[in-house]
Amino acid sequence: MKNTENLKKYAEVVMKKGLNIVEGDSVVIEISIAAREFAKMLVEAAYDFGAHKVNVEWSDDEIGRIRYERTPIECLKEIPQYLIDKKKYRVGNKYKFLSVISNDPNSLKGVDPEKLNASMIARSKAFKETSDLIMANNNSWCVIGASVPKWADMVFPNDEDAVDKLWEKILEVSRISSGDPIANWDEHIATMKKHSKILNEAKLKELHYTSEKGTDLHVKLPKGYIFTGGDEINKDGETFVANIPTEEVFSLPHRMGVDGIVYATKPLSYNGNIIDNFWFKFEEGKVVDFGAEEGYEILKDMLDMDEGARRLGEVALVPYHSPISMTNILFYETLFDENASCHFALGAAYPTCLEGNEDMSEEELLEAGVNDSLIHVDFMVGDATTSIVGIKEDGTEMQIFKDGDFVI
């Protein structure tokens, strides 16, 4: 870490704009031991902005792999009650959650997929209650990245300066490297809010995606959809930025209203494995066919997680000429790659993207078109040829994206 001054600025932006720490807050930071030095900066910044409690949850790629290789599958399905209770306590007491991507994207490559799938299903079910609350913005949360050797070596192979180069790119696309980072973020948030406002006022009933890669997909939107971008608001009325970096303006599709074919434009890092050159065919909202040149079995297990895993839960618009895309770098991490490209997410939707969601039961949300699942997995579909046409409730059309970028 050569530029510690910019790293400290990054930590400050994360705590001020990302989590919006105020006096008396409690914070949880999830991070790899490979990013220990940056973790210390995050902890210091949290306390500087007024946090009273900062808890760090460490992970280790090598130990994690050993665990999957050596632990019997029956034990991987067991989630101790004390872990569930700890998460419930933190969510119930309004902790703010920071997740730092700082792992090897291929850390679990070659591990028995049955074990990975069993563990994910068990954890998803055990923590579903708290995950649903966080997705509904009961608590502030933020996801960021930190350069570590294994990840950096994938992005910049055979480069002895890989870690520093990845840090430079993370700081660049996170609007830290030049000017006033806080002012940069205020301006960026205002731009995304402008696009959200136009889309919400348009009262669209459908989006039609096409591209030279072969994508031809119709995506219906539920009545009362809400596009949002930039910052969000938790249940206590505090703003926060859920992803740093972020370029997306997003909402939710109707879970029963997706038809056509869509081709991924970037690899997907999922469960410690890479899935590449894949596609989905949808009918009445459900994936009825799919393919992948790499990671087919991993993709199949993901789609078979539950009924909602084969339906879309998020539609996100990202201009092709965004800072991340213009780096011409494949980061092999969804947080970064999804902000270089329009994307969808299979699985659970964010209920905050529907008007009146606070007063709806789970059954009413499903009836309104809000998808539910144990998973939420983003995959990238945008490129320089992406066109998106919005169809309004009165049948008129508006061009939203042309040649990969916003035209509104």
Side-chain angles (χ1 to χ4, degrees):
M1 295 190 297
K2 293 179 180 178
N3 197 336
T4 56
E5 183 178 344
N6 273 348
L7 289 178
K8 288 180 179 178
K9 289 181 180 179
Y10 182 36
E12 290 170 358
V13 167
V14 169
M15 294 304 164
K16 183 173 177 62
K17 302 302 293 185
L19 291 181
N20 188 11
I21 300 299
V22 296
E23 189 69 30
D25 274 345
S26 298
V27 183
V28 175
I29 300 173
E30 298 175 341
I31 191 168
S32 167
I33 60 170
R36 182 177 179 276
E37 292 303 312
F38 182 56
K40 287 162 59 178
M41 295 182 186
L42 290 169
V43 172
E44 288 177 348
Y47 280 121
D48 286 345
F49 281 103
H52 284 190
K53 299 176 185 176
V54 183
N55 299 117
V56 179
E57 298 285 348
W58 300 101
S59 63
D60 182 289
D61 285 338
E62 293 179 358
I63 291 175
R65 185 181 181 90
I66 292 170
R67 173 176 174 267
Y68 277 109
E69 290 176 337
R70 303 290 186 88
T71 304
I73 193 168
E74 294 77 14
C75 296
L76 290 173
K77 295 177 181 179
E78 297 173 1
I79 309 299
Q81 187 62 42
Y82 78 89
L83 292 177
I84 300 170
D85 292 341
K86 181 169 72 169
K87 191 65 174 284
K88 285 182 177 180
Y89 173 84
R90 288 172 169 174
V91 170
N93 284 277
K94 296 302 177 70
Y95 276 65
K96 296 180 177 180
F97 295 91
L98 178 66
S99 178
V100 185
I101 292 172
S102 45
N103 302 91
D104 174 7
N106 266 325
S107 63
L108 299 177
K109 185 175 182 178
V111 171
D112 182 353
E114 186 179 356
K115 281 189 170 185
L116 294 176
N117 204 42
S119 176
M120 175 164 282
I121 290 174
R123 292 186 64 82
S124 296
K125 289 181 177 179
F127 295 109
K128 188 175 190 308
E129 180 182 344
T130 48
S131 295
D132 286 350
L133 286 169
I134 291 172
M135 287 191 74
N137 292 348
N138 184 78
N139 302 64
S140 297
W141 57 279
C142 183
V143 184
I144 67 169
S147 179
V148 293
K150 290 287 189 179
W151 178 21
D153 288 342
M154 281 195 69
V155 181
F156 298 103
N158 304 314
D159 191 327
E160 62 181 15
D161 296 321
V163 171
D164 287 330
K165 285 186 175 180
L166 181 54
W167 265 127
E168 288 174 8
K169 291 304 176 183
I170 289 173
L171 295 172
E172 176 187 327
V173 301
S174 299
R175 292 176 162 78
I176 307 298
S177 303
S178 60
D180 179 347
I182 299 299
N184 293 344
W185 273 95
D186 288 340
E187 180 181 355
H188 182 47
I189 289 169
T191 299
M192 286 188 283
K193 286 189 175 299
K194 181 196 76 170
H195 288 138
S196 299
K197 185 172 185 290
I198 292 171
L199 291 166
N200 291 332
E201 291 177 348
K203 302 298 181 186
L204 302 170
K205 68 176 182 180
E206 183 178 313
L207 301 174
H208 182 204
Y209 287 69
T210 55
S211 77
E212 290 183 3
K213 195 172 180 69
T215 291
D216 187 355
L217 193 72
H218 293 265
V219 181
K220 289 185 173 62
L221 301 174
K223 287 187 178 297
Y225 70 83
I226 299 172
F227 272 94
T228 187
D231 57 13
E232 302 180 49
I233 301 175
N234 70 16
K235 287 292 193 282
D236 294 322
E238 299 172 326
T239 60
F240 67 97
V241 177
N243 290 168
I244 294 178
T246 182
E247 304 291 335
E248 64 180 326
V249 174
F250 68 95
S251 188
L252 75 172
H254 196 293
R255 63 187 301 271
M256 305 293 287
V258 182
D259 292 276
I261 193 164
V262 61
Y263 288 85
T265 53
K266 291 180 182 289
L268 169 63
S269 176
Y270 176 73
N271 227 1
N273 290 270
I274 298 296
I275 304 169
D276 200 6
N277 291 324
F278 59 100
W279 55 270
F280 301 109
K281 181 181 179 181
F282 288 85
E283 290 181 3
E284 296 182 350
K286 188 175 183 178
V287 174
V288 294
D289 197 9
F290 66 96
E293 290 184 11
E294 180 180 353
Y296 179 87
E297 290 300 325
I298 300 295
L299 184 59
K300 182 179 184 299
D301 286 343
M302 182 183 79
L303 291 171
D304 290 340
M305 186 74 70
D306 57 25
E307 197 276 338
R310 286 180 176 255
R311 299 182 184 276
L312 294 183
E314 180 185 350
V315 50
L317 309 183
V318 179
Y320 177 74
H321 291 92
S322 66
I324 299 175
S325 180
M326 291 300 93
T327 65
N328 291 315
I329 291 173
L330 183 63
F331 286 87
Y332 296 99
E333 286 291 358
T334 300
L335 170 65
F336 292 86
D337 292 332
E338 75 170 2
N339 282 297
S341 167
C342 285
H343 56 273
F344 296 111
L346 289 161
Y350 293 104
T352 52
C353 290
L354 187 72
E355 293 177 0
N357 69 88
E358 304 92 340
D359 301 320
M360 293 184 181
S361 65
E362 290 185 9
E363 291 76 16
E364 289 171 329
L365 287 169
L366 280 173
E367 182 66 24
V370 181
N371 196 39
D372 188 29
S373 174
L374 294 173
I375 68 167
H376 177 94
V377 180
D378 298 281
F379 65 98
M380 287 59 79
V381 301
D383 62 19
T385 70
T386 297
S387 168
I388 304 175
V389 174
I391 302 171
K392 299 183 180 182
E393 292 178 354
D394 63 6
T396 59
E397 297 184 353
M398 65 180 288
Q399 190 83 39
I400 299 170
F401 260 59
K402 184 178 181 181
D403 298 328
D405 289 329
F406 276 112
V407 291
I408 57 174

